[in-house]
Every structure is written in C-alpha cells, then in structure tokens.
Amino acid sequence: MRHERQVELLERVAAAGEHLVGLHGEHSMVNPAAAYTDPERFALEQRVLFRDGPTLLGLSCELPNPGDYLTATVDGIPIVAVRQTDGSLRAMVNACRHRGAPLVTERAGNLGRSMVCAYHGWTYGTDGRLLARPLSAGAFDDVTIPCDLHQVAVAERYGLVFIRAGSAEPIDVDEVLGGAQDDLGAFGLDRYTHVETRVAEWNMNWKLLLDTFTESYHIRWLHKASIAPYFNSDCVIYEPFGRNCASIGLRADVLDELRKPKEEWSILPYGTIQYLLVPNALVVHQLDHIELWRVEPLDVGRVRAATSLFAPAPPADESARRYWKKNLDLLLDVTGNEDFPMMERIYATLRSGALPELVYGRNEPPLVHFHTTINELLATAPR
C-alpha cells in the first residue's frame, strides 16, 4: 500500500477520539431475519449476485503457466478457467458436450495440451475446442450443433481473476472494483505464490460467514481467550468502493505508531487490511502474506468456504513451509473454533423464527455497507 495512503488511514485513527468513535458509520441498520433464511431470497441472490454478476475466481498467481487451470462452482454451474499459450485466460463450463460429465475435478492443476473426458474420452483443447471423439466410428457425424465447450466471461487485472458464470457478457474489472484497484494494485498480487488452500462447509447462510469479517466489536468478548489482547475492538477503518468495501482491523498498540514522525508512519504492522469483494470473496493483506476467502453458497443454510494463503516467494525450505502452515493453522483455529460455530448457532436461531430482525450498529460500518449493497442489488434486479 502506498505510503501516502497509509498516512491518510492513520490520520483517521488519530482524529477518531476515545473508543475510535470518529470511525463510526453514518447510521445503524435493521435487517430482517429473512435476509438469511428465506429460500426465495436465496434463489434470487444466486441468480443476481452469483450467476449473472461477476464473482472472484482467484488470484492470477494461481495459474501462472500455459495449461494451468482453476475451477469453481457458481450457482451450480461448474466453471474451469485455463491459462492460454498467449498468456490470456479462457473460462468455460466444465462439462463435456456429449453427456455433461465433468472434465476437470480438482480445484487447480495443469492440463498440458488438452482436457479428456473420463466418461467417453472426448478431448478438448485448452481453449475449449472439441479435438476428438475417439473410437466413435462416425456415430456423431450427423450432429448439427457445435460441440465446443460453452464459453463464459473471464477478466483479469491487478492480479485478480473474475468470471461471470451465467454468460459471456464482458466484465469491466475497474467497474467491479469501484476504486479499490489503487490499493489492490499496489499489493502486487500477481507476484505472490500460492502455498495452500483448505476447504470447509458450515451450516449457516453464506452472508453470515462474511459478516464475521465486517466488524471488530465482537473481538473483546468472543475472542477473549485467544486474540482479544492483541486487537482493538472498538471499530475498524471503513471505506466503501462501490459495491465493495475495505475493513481494516487495528491492533491494540496502533496508537504507538502515531508517536513517530509522520514520514515514518506505517499501518501495515498494525492493521489487518481486508477487501470485501461482493458477493463472494475477501482479500486480506497481512504484514507478510495474503489470505483469500472464497464462499460458495450451497443452500440457504449451507456454505462452503475455501481459505487460501499466498506467500511473497515460494517456500525455500521445510522451515518456511512450516511457518506458513502455522499461519494458516492459527487463522482457521480462531475462525473454525470461535467465529463460525457462533454463526451456526445464530443461523439456527434465525431459522427458528424467534427473531424477526437483526440490528447492525454505527460501530459496524462494513456490516451495514455489505447488507445495504446486497439489498439494493436485489431490489433493482429484473424479476
């Protein structure tokens, strides 16, 4: 992050006053419980936000070489994006045109020069062109429709890869990021190295999982036995970027930095810098690595979360690999044993009908932004 930007953010903290009241948002929000529990609402979210809208597939550094691929399932649509020999990306429906069998079953890997269907051996180029229907003895010669893979939109910029699973309508990455590209571009995401991804499923609405990261108010109580002594729990630094927003959690000793000359100020040792990319991803800049959370809604009350860690360079030895593994272990230990079980309990209560609504405070501005944005996108979508 540019030094001028870090100074500007710390100036906000310096002017915020006791309990960082100056960082509060403009208003609170009341959100109906049905936003989390209504199956019809969930179906609309899937269509508008996931199928028709752009979603983050991953980081460019996850597929650096020709033939490298990433897969995802978006509103039930299986997608595979493949790096081409000219450096561009192609994204396709990950289903053989013969009988719909999946062509690629892993999250990531390298195809070599082709994709071969494990069901009947139909073979496709990395660009999705049908190359062969082996040993079919002319049985498909009278088929009149093209049998290349269905193409969907993919766009890549600032080290981020976006797809539009439901169509080939082009994606304008700058428009999607809404101004966050200045920060994200400065991180040099395309120069990182993927270390590890872990996947887990939880019994909650997908938005509850992301809600976890939109406020620090809970840290003092939920995490009192783990990370609470190290983090400020009053408020985060919040900044909207169109549909997205930045949410910067602060360490407890952040005010120590303000005692230095301003030209020496740095927020990086004192902040967990998170970019919520609506609808499905959270890009997190830590002091020495990047974390990426991707959510896949499976049902109104079931979500799959993929958590990835990226290092600034490939691990040089076993000691370095253990270091990164420990970072991921610590992250998933806190979220997996404290945050997400709480969210599962909250979802169970909301589903019971016992609470008609939830209340978000002015000290939780990214939470208000997230749900206001989703509500507005759904309200203005064609039915």
Side-chain angles (χ1 to χ4, degrees):
M1 180 179 284
R2 293 181 296 105
H3 181 257
E4 296 82 1
R5 177 84 165 119
Q6 295 182 57
V7 170
E8 187 269 329
L9 293 172
L10 285 172
E11 285 176 337
R12 294 191 205 177
V13 176
E18 189 175 5
H19 296 299
L20 303 182
V21 171
L23 298 181
H24 285 188
E26 295 181 356
H27 57 83
S28 60
M29 179 182 181
V30 176
N31 207 23
Y36 297 96
T37 62
D38 180 13
E40 292 186 6
R41 153 99 180 209
F42 175 76
L44 183 62
E45 290 171 347
Q46 287 285 80
R47 175 175 65 82
V48 173
L49 303 177
F50 288 85
R51 179 179 291 253
D52 295 343
T55 60
L56 186 72
L57 176 67
L59 303 189
S60 300
C61 62
E62 295 183 80
L63 23 59
N65 304 309
D68 287 348
Y69 68 84
L70 284 178
T71 64
T73 302
V74 183
D75 189 22
I77 303 173
I79 301 295
V80 58
V82 187
R83 182 73 67 190
Q84 305 297 299
T85 55
D86 65 358
S88 65
L89 288 173
R90 288 284 188 98
M92 300 150 275
V93 176
N94 180 21
C96 180
R97 293 299 305 278
H98 175 211
R99 301 274 290 282
L103 296 166
V104 182
T105 57
E106 300 297 325
R107 159 65 178 170
N110 188 282
L111 298 172
R113 296 182 178 180
S114 62
M115 291 177 275
V116 180
C117 178
Y119 195 12
H120 295 92
W122 281 32
T123 304
Y124 299 85
T126 59
D127 59 357
R129 289 183 301 110
L130 178 65
L131 300 179
R133 294 182 283 225
L135 302 176
S136 58
F140 299 90
D141 290 351
D142 60 342
V143 173
T144 58
I145 64 170
C147 287
D148 296 337
L149 298 183
H150 288 296
Q151 303 283 318
V152 301
V154 61
E156 179 180 31
R157 203 168 183 191
Y158 311 110
L160 302 165
V161 179
F162 291 89
I163 56 172
R164 191 188 308 276
S167 76
E169 180 185 346
I171 300 168
D172 183 333
V173 174
D174 285 313
E175 181 180 354
V176 171
L177 292 178
Q181 55 266 40
D182 181 62
D183 288 354
L184 291 168
F187 292 153
L189 297 174
D190 55 337
R191 298 191 296 271
Y192 279 77
T193 296
H194 176 249
V195 177
E196 186 179 355
T197 294
R198 299 184 198 172
V199 179
E201 295 184 10
W202 299 91
N203 293 318
M204 69 174 88
N205 181 265
W206 65 276
K207 297 185 295 298
L208 281 168
L209 190 141
L210 291 172
D211 286 356
T212 300
F213 302 98
T214 58
E215 47 87 10
S216 61
Y217 184 37
H218 71 280
I219 291 176
R220 185 177 287 115
W221 290 275
L222 183 62
H223 301 310
K224 61 183 177 182
S226 56
I227 64 174
Y230 311 106
F231 287 89
N232 180 284
S233 188
D234 293 322
C235 194
V236 299
I237 303 175
Y238 154 75
E239 186 163 352
F241 293 105
R243 66 165 59 192
N244 315 299
C245 70
S247 173
I248 304 176
L250 301 169
R251 293 190 177 272
D253 57 352
V254 64
L255 297 181
D256 292 345
E257 189 71 2
L258 304 179
R259 300 185 180 95
K260 300 178 182 178
K262 189 172 292 189
E263 59 270 17
E264 297 178 13
W265 282 7
S266 173
I267 200 171
L268 298 181
Y270 300 97
T272 299
I273 308 174
Q274 304 175 145
Y275 293 86
L276 178 57
L277 302 182
V278 176
N280 74 313
L282 190 80
V283 179
V284 184
H285 186 281
Q286 301 281 16
L287 179 61
D288 62 356
H289 67 277
I290 297 291
E291 297 158 4
L292 174 63
W293 292 83
R294 290 182 62 258
V295 300
E296 179 191 340
L298 301 175
D299 203 343
V300 65
R302 186 76 171 169
V303 62
R304 178 179 294 133
T307 312
S308 303
L309 187 144
F310 299 84
D317 51 33
E318 187 57 34
S319 175
R321 280 186 284 273
R322 286 196 302 269
Y323 172 78
W324 296 123
K325 180 180 182 299
K326 182 179 179 181
N327 272 268
L328 194 53
D329 288 344
L330 291 172
L331 171 65
L332 295 179
D333 179 61
V334 173
T335 56
N337 291 309
E338 298 176 9
D339 292 288
F340 299 156
M342 175 64 77
M343 292 301 180
E344 287 191 320
R345 292 190 288 271
I346 290 171
Y347 180 73
T349 297
L350 297 178
R351 188 180 58 188
S352 75
L355 293 178
E357 69 280 305
L358 295 178
V359 180
Y360 312 143
R362 292 177 57 240
N363 59 342
E364 303 170 306
L367 182 63
V368 173
H369 175 96
F370 179 43
H371 287 275
T372 299
T373 296
I374 291 176
N375 291 346
E376 290 176 349
L377 289 170
L378 298 183
T380 58
R383 301 291 171 136

PDB file of all heavy atoms in Angstrom, residues 80 91-97 103 115 124-130 146-152:
ATOM      1  N   VAL A  80     -14.373 -23.836 -15.403  1.00  0.00           N
ATOM      2  CA  VAL A  80     -12.927 -24.004 -15.422  1.00  0.00           C
ATOM      3  C   VAL A  80     -12.328 -22.862 -16.232  1.00  0.00           C
ATOM      4  O   VAL A  80     -12.807 -22.550 -17.329  1.00  0.00           O
ATOM      5  CB  VAL A  80     -12.496 -25.374 -15.997  1.00  0.00           C
ATOM      6  CG1 VAL A  80     -13.011 -25.583 -17.413  1.00  0.00           C
ATOM      7  CG2 VAL A  80     -10.980 -25.532 -15.933  1.00  0.00           C
ATOM      8  N   ALA A  91     -12.431 -19.048 -19.958  1.00  0.00           N
ATOM      9  CA  ALA A  91     -13.268 -19.685 -18.951  1.00  0.00           C
ATOM     10  C   ALA A  91     -14.419 -20.384 -19.641  1.00  0.00           C
ATOM     11  O   ALA A  91     -15.034 -19.836 -20.575  1.00  0.00           O
ATOM     12  CB  ALA A  91     -13.794 -18.666 -17.949  1.00  0.00           C
ATOM     13  N   MET A  92     -14.714 -21.601 -19.202  1.00  0.00           N
ATOM     14  CA  MET A  92     -15.689 -22.454 -19.871  1.00  0.00           C
ATOM     15  C   MET A  92     -16.520 -23.209 -18.855  1.00  0.00           C
ATOM     16  O   MET A  92     -16.085 -23.401 -17.708  1.00  0.00           O
ATOM     17  CB  MET A  92     -14.960 -23.460 -20.784  1.00  0.00           C
ATOM     18  CG  MET A  92     -14.112 -22.813 -21.879  1.00  0.00           C
ATOM     19  SD  MET A  92     -12.671 -23.806 -22.339  1.00  0.00           S
ATOM     20  CE  MET A  92     -11.488 -23.279 -21.085  1.00  0.00           C
ATOM     21  N   VAL A  93     -17.686 -23.636 -19.276  1.00  0.00           N
ATOM     22  CA  VAL A  93     -18.466 -24.551 -18.449  1.00  0.00           C
ATOM     23  C   VAL A  93     -17.722 -25.876 -18.419  1.00  0.00           C
ATOM     24  O   VAL A  93     -17.410 -26.459 -19.468  1.00  0.00           O
ATOM     25  CB  VAL A  93     -19.889 -24.722 -19.006  1.00  0.00           C
ATOM     26  CG1 VAL A  93     -20.663 -25.753 -18.178  1.00  0.00           C
ATOM     27  CG2 VAL A  93     -20.630 -23.394 -18.999  1.00  0.00           C
ATOM     28  N   ASN A  94     -17.450 -26.353 -17.229  1.00  0.00           N
ATOM     29  CA  ASN A  94     -16.634 -27.552 -17.027  1.00  0.00           C
ATOM     30  C   ASN A  94     -17.510 -28.795 -17.172  1.00  0.00           C
ATOM     31  O   ASN A  94     -17.744 -29.544 -16.214  1.00  0.00           O
ATOM     32  CB  ASN A  94     -15.984 -27.479 -15.637  1.00  0.00           C
ATOM     33  CG  ASN A  94     -15.109 -28.670 -15.333  1.00  0.00           C
ATOM     34  OD1 ASN A  94     -14.654 -29.379 -16.224  1.00  0.00           O
ATOM     35  ND2 ASN A  94     -14.872 -28.897 -14.047  1.00  0.00           N
ATOM     36  N   ALA A  95     -18.007 -28.997 -18.399  1.00  0.00           N
ATOM     37  CA  ALA A  95     -18.892 -30.144 -18.663  1.00  0.00           C
ATOM     38  C   ALA A  95     -18.744 -30.557 -20.122  1.00  0.00           C
ATOM     39  O   ALA A  95     -18.851 -29.728 -21.032  1.00  0.00           O
ATOM     40  CB  ALA A  95     -20.346 -29.776 -18.364  1.00  0.00           C
ATOM     41  N   CYS A  96     -18.502 -31.848 -20.350  1.00  0.00           N
ATOM     42  CA  CYS A  96     -18.366 -32.388 -21.702  1.00  0.00           C
ATOM     43  C   CYS A  96     -19.669 -32.180 -22.468  1.00  0.00           C
ATOM     44  O   CYS A  96     -20.767 -32.400 -21.930  1.00  0.00           O
ATOM     45  CB  CYS A  96     -18.015 -33.867 -21.628  1.00  0.00           C
ATOM     46  SG  CYS A  96     -17.815 -34.652 -23.248  1.00  0.00           S
ATOM     47  N   ARG A  97     -19.570 -31.794 -23.741  1.00  0.00           N
ATOM     48  CA  ARG A  97     -20.751 -31.533 -24.546  1.00  0.00           C
ATOM     49  C   ARG A  97     -21.477 -32.824 -24.938  1.00  0.00           C
ATOM     50  O   ARG A  97     -22.604 -32.769 -25.451  1.00  0.00           O
ATOM     51  CB  ARG A  97     -20.367 -30.753 -25.812  1.00  0.00           C
ATOM     52  CG  ARG A  97     -19.875 -29.339 -25.547  1.00  0.00           C
ATOM     53  CD  ARG A  97     -20.926 -28.475 -24.866  1.00  0.00           C
ATOM     54  NE  ARG A  97     -22.173 -28.435 -25.597  1.00  0.00           N
ATOM     55  CZ  ARG A  97     -22.422 -27.643 -26.647  1.00  0.00           C
ATOM     56  NH1 ARG A  97     -21.457 -26.794 -27.061  1.00  0.00           N
ATOM     57  NH2 ARG A  97     -23.582 -27.669 -27.259  1.00  0.00           N
ATOM     58  N   LEU A 103     -15.017 -32.379 -16.798  1.00  0.00           N
ATOM     59  CA  LEU A 103     -13.743 -32.603 -17.471  1.00  0.00           C
ATOM     60  C   LEU A 103     -12.577 -32.496 -16.493  1.00  0.00           C
ATOM     61  O   LEU A 103     -11.583 -33.192 -16.625  1.00  0.00           O
ATOM     62  CB  LEU A 103     -13.562 -31.599 -18.602  1.00  0.00           C
ATOM     63  CG  LEU A 103     -14.580 -31.718 -19.739  1.00  0.00           C
ATOM     64  CD1 LEU A 103     -14.539 -30.483 -20.615  1.00  0.00           C
ATOM     65  CD2 LEU A 103     -14.319 -32.969 -20.562  1.00  0.00           C
ATOM     66  N   MET A 115      -7.951 -31.363 -22.482  1.00  0.00           N
ATOM     67  CA  MET A 115      -8.828 -31.913 -21.448  1.00  0.00           C
ATOM     68  C   MET A 115      -9.499 -33.145 -22.028  1.00  0.00           C
ATOM     69  O   MET A 115     -10.060 -33.092 -23.135  1.00  0.00           O
ATOM     70  CB  MET A 115      -9.900 -30.896 -21.045  1.00  0.00           C
ATOM     71  CG  MET A 115      -9.394 -29.701 -20.309  1.00  0.00           C
ATOM     72  SD  MET A 115     -10.738 -28.501 -19.936  1.00  0.00           S
ATOM     73  CE  MET A 115     -10.767 -27.569 -21.472  1.00  0.00           C
ATOM     74  N   TYR A 124     -10.756 -32.092 -25.610  1.00  0.00           N
ATOM     75  CA  TYR A 124     -10.883 -30.667 -25.912  1.00  0.00           C
ATOM     76  C   TYR A 124      -9.538 -29.987 -25.741  1.00  0.00           C
ATOM     77  O   TYR A 124      -8.741 -30.353 -24.870  1.00  0.00           O
ATOM     78  CB  TYR A 124     -11.891 -30.008 -24.965  1.00  0.00           C
ATOM     79  CG  TYR A 124     -13.285 -30.568 -25.070  1.00  0.00           C
ATOM     80  CD1 TYR A 124     -13.650 -31.713 -24.350  1.00  0.00           C
ATOM     81  CD2 TYR A 124     -14.239 -29.970 -25.886  1.00  0.00           C
ATOM     82  CE1 TYR A 124     -14.930 -32.234 -24.441  1.00  0.00           C
ATOM     83  CE2 TYR A 124     -15.522 -30.489 -25.992  1.00  0.00           C
ATOM     84  CZ  TYR A 124     -15.858 -31.621 -25.266  1.00  0.00           C
ATOM     85  OH  TYR A 124     -17.134 -32.140 -25.368  1.00  0.00           O
ATOM     86  N   GLY A 125      -9.294 -28.962 -26.542  1.00  0.00           N
ATOM     87  CA  GLY A 125      -8.123 -28.130 -26.349  1.00  0.00           C
ATOM     88  C   GLY A 125      -8.293 -27.257 -25.126  1.00  0.00           C
ATOM     89  O   GLY A 125      -9.391 -27.105 -24.579  1.00  0.00           O
ATOM     90  N   THR A 126      -7.207 -26.628 -24.690  1.00  0.00           N
ATOM     91  CA  THR A 126      -7.286 -25.769 -23.516  1.00  0.00           C
ATOM     92  C   THR A 126      -8.155 -24.537 -23.757  1.00  0.00           C
ATOM     93  O   THR A 126      -8.536 -23.856 -22.811  1.00  0.00           O
ATOM     94  CB  THR A 126      -5.885 -25.318 -23.072  1.00  0.00           C
ATOM     95  OG1 THR A 126      -5.248 -24.611 -24.149  1.00  0.00           O
ATOM     96  CG2 THR A 126      -5.035 -26.516 -22.680  1.00  0.00           C
ATOM     97  N   ASP A 127      -8.473 -24.262 -25.032  1.00  0.00           N
ATOM     98  CA  ASP A 127      -9.367 -23.157 -25.355  1.00  0.00           C
ATOM     99  C   ASP A 127     -10.819 -23.601 -25.470  1.00  0.00           C
ATOM    100  O   ASP A 127     -11.700 -22.800 -25.772  1.00  0.00           O
ATOM    101  CB  ASP A 127      -8.940 -22.470 -26.656  1.00  0.00           C
ATOM    102  CG  ASP A 127      -8.936 -23.422 -27.851  1.00  0.00           C
ATOM    103  OD1 ASP A 127      -9.217 -24.635 -27.668  1.00  0.00           O
ATOM    104  OD2 ASP A 127      -8.654 -22.953 -28.969  1.00  0.00           O
ATOM    105  N   GLY A 128     -11.085 -24.903 -25.236  1.00  0.00           N
ATOM    106  CA  GLY A 128     -12.441 -25.416 -25.258  1.00  0.00           C
ATOM    107  C   GLY A 128     -12.883 -25.998 -26.592  1.00  0.00           C
ATOM    108  O   GLY A 128     -14.008 -26.518 -26.691  1.00  0.00           O
ATOM    109  N   ARG A 129     -12.036 -25.947 -27.609  1.00  0.00           N
ATOM    110  CA  ARG A 129     -12.412 -26.520 -28.911  1.00  0.00           C
ATOM    111  C   ARG A 129     -12.427 -28.048 -28.836  1.00  0.00           C
ATOM    112  O   ARG A 129     -11.513 -28.663 -28.274  1.00  0.00           O
ATOM    113  CB  ARG A 129     -11.450 -26.076 -30.005  1.00  0.00           C
ATOM    114  CG  ARG A 129     -11.562 -24.622 -30.395  1.00  0.00           C
ATOM    115  CD  ARG A 129     -10.626 -24.276 -31.538  1.00  0.00           C
ATOM    116  NE  ARG A 129      -9.229 -24.556 -31.197  1.00  0.00           N
ATOM    117  CZ  ARG A 129      -8.507 -25.523 -31.732  1.00  0.00           C
ATOM    118  NH1 ARG A 129      -9.051 -26.360 -32.618  1.00  0.00           N
ATOM    119  NH2 ARG A 129      -7.245 -25.690 -31.388  1.00  0.00           N
ATOM    120  N   LEU A 130     -13.444 -28.662 -29.423  1.00  0.00           N
ATOM    121  CA  LEU A 130     -13.505 -30.121 -29.496  1.00  0.00           C
ATOM    122  C   LEU A 130     -12.445 -30.614 -30.466  1.00  0.00           C
ATOM    123  O   LEU A 130     -12.414 -30.210 -31.632  1.00  0.00           O
ATOM    124  CB  LEU A 130     -14.889 -30.567 -29.961  1.00  0.00           C
ATOM    125  CG  LEU A 130     -15.072 -32.080 -30.129  1.00  0.00           C
ATOM    126  CD1 LEU A 130     -14.954 -32.795 -28.782  1.00  0.00           C
ATOM    127  CD2 LEU A 130     -16.415 -32.382 -30.781  1.00  0.00           C
ATOM    128  N   PRO A 146     -22.697 -27.120 -32.719  1.00  0.00           N
ATOM    129  CA  PRO A 146     -21.276 -27.129 -32.352  1.00  0.00           C
ATOM    130  C   PRO A 146     -21.089 -27.787 -30.995  1.00  0.00           C
ATOM    131  O   PRO A 146     -21.900 -27.604 -30.092  1.00  0.00           O
ATOM    132  CB  PRO A 146     -20.918 -25.641 -32.306  1.00  0.00           C
ATOM    133  CG  PRO A 146     -22.206 -24.944 -32.058  1.00  0.00           C
ATOM    134  CD  PRO A 146     -23.267 -25.757 -32.742  1.00  0.00           C
ATOM    135  N   CYS A 147     -20.031 -28.547 -30.853  1.00  0.00           N
ATOM    136  CA  CYS A 147     -19.789 -29.275 -29.605  1.00  0.00           C
ATOM    137  C   CYS A 147     -18.544 -28.792 -28.868  1.00  0.00           C
ATOM    138  O   CYS A 147     -17.980 -29.521 -28.041  1.00  0.00           O
ATOM    139  CB  CYS A 147     -19.705 -30.777 -29.873  1.00  0.00           C
ATOM    140  SG  CYS A 147     -21.317 -31.517 -30.235  1.00  0.00           S
ATOM    141  N   ASP A 148     -18.111 -27.556 -29.176  1.00  0.00           N
ATOM    142  CA  ASP A 148     -17.065 -26.949 -28.352  1.00  0.00           C
ATOM    143  C   ASP A 148     -17.653 -26.627 -26.978  1.00  0.00           C
ATOM    144  O   ASP A 148     -18.876 -26.537 -26.810  1.00  0.00           O
ATOM    145  CB  ASP A 148     -16.555 -25.667 -29.006  1.00  0.00           C
ATOM    146  CG  ASP A 148     -15.887 -25.915 -30.350  1.00  0.00           C
ATOM    147  OD1 ASP A 148     -15.427 -27.043 -30.576  1.00  0.00           O
ATOM    148  OD2 ASP A 148     -15.857 -24.968 -31.160  1.00  0.00           O
ATOM    149  N   LEU A 149     -16.790 -26.427 -25.999  1.00  0.00           N
ATOM    150  CA  LEU A 149     -17.273 -26.106 -24.661  1.00  0.00           C
ATOM    151  C   LEU A 149     -17.923 -24.722 -24.638  1.00  0.00           C
ATOM    152  O   LEU A 149     -17.496 -23.815 -25.342  1.00  0.00           O
ATOM    153  CB  LEU A 149     -16.120 -26.142 -23.650  1.00  0.00           C
ATOM    154  CG  LEU A 149     -15.411 -27.485 -23.470  1.00  0.00           C
ATOM    155  CD1 LEU A 149     -14.343 -27.367 -22.382  1.00  0.00           C
ATOM    156  CD2 LEU A 149     -16.395 -28.594 -23.136  1.00  0.00           C
ATOM    157  N   HIS A 150     -18.935 -24.571 -23.819  1.00  0.00           N
ATOM    158  CA  HIS A 150     -19.585 -23.276 -23.660  1.00  0.00           C
ATOM    159  C   HIS A 150     -18.629 -22.304 -22.973  1.00  0.00           C
ATOM    160  O   HIS A 150     -18.062 -22.606 -21.915  1.00  0.00           O
ATOM    161  CB  HIS A 150     -20.858 -23.419 -22.831  1.00  0.00           C
ATOM    162  CG  HIS A 150     -21.982 -24.091 -23.552  1.00  0.00           C
ATOM    163  ND1 HIS A 150     -22.581 -23.542 -24.663  1.00  0.00           N
ATOM    164  CD2 HIS A 150     -22.615 -25.265 -23.336  1.00  0.00           C
ATOM    165  CE1 HIS A 150     -23.543 -24.339 -25.092  1.00  0.00           C
ATOM    166  NE2 HIS A 150     -23.581 -25.400 -24.309  1.00  0.00           N
ATOM    167  N   GLN A 151     -18.478 -21.134 -23.562  1.00  0.00           N
ATOM    168  CA  GLN A 151     -17.587 -20.109 -23.029  1.00  0.00           C
ATOM    169  C   GLN A 151     -18.358 -19.179 -22.084  1.00  0.00           C
ATOM    170  O   GLN A 151     -19.533 -18.864 -22.319  1.00  0.00           O
ATOM    171  CB  GLN A 151     -16.987 -19.276 -24.162  1.00  0.00           C
ATOM    172  CG  GLN A 151     -16.221 -20.091 -25.195  1.00  0.00           C
ATOM    173  CD  GLN A 151     -14.848 -20.515 -24.725  1.00  0.00           C
ATOM    174  OE1 GLN A 151     -14.119 -19.735 -24.107  1.00  0.00           O
ATOM    175  NE2 GLN A 151     -14.466 -21.747 -25.010  1.00  0.00           N
ATOM    176  N   VAL A 152     -17.698 -18.743 -21.020  1.00  0.00           N
ATOM    177  CA  VAL A 152     -18.261 -17.728 -20.123  1.00  0.00           C
ATOM    178  C   VAL A 152     -17.240 -16.611 -19.976  1.00  0.00           C
ATOM    179  O   VAL A 152     -16.059 -16.769 -20.308  1.00  0.00           O
ATOM    180  CB  VAL A 152     -18.627 -18.314 -18.745  1.00  0.00           C
ATOM    181  CG1 VAL A 152     -19.635 -19.440 -18.883  1.00  0.00           C
ATOM    182  CG2 VAL A 152     -17.393 -18.782 -17.994  1.00  0.00           C
TER     183      VAL A 152
END
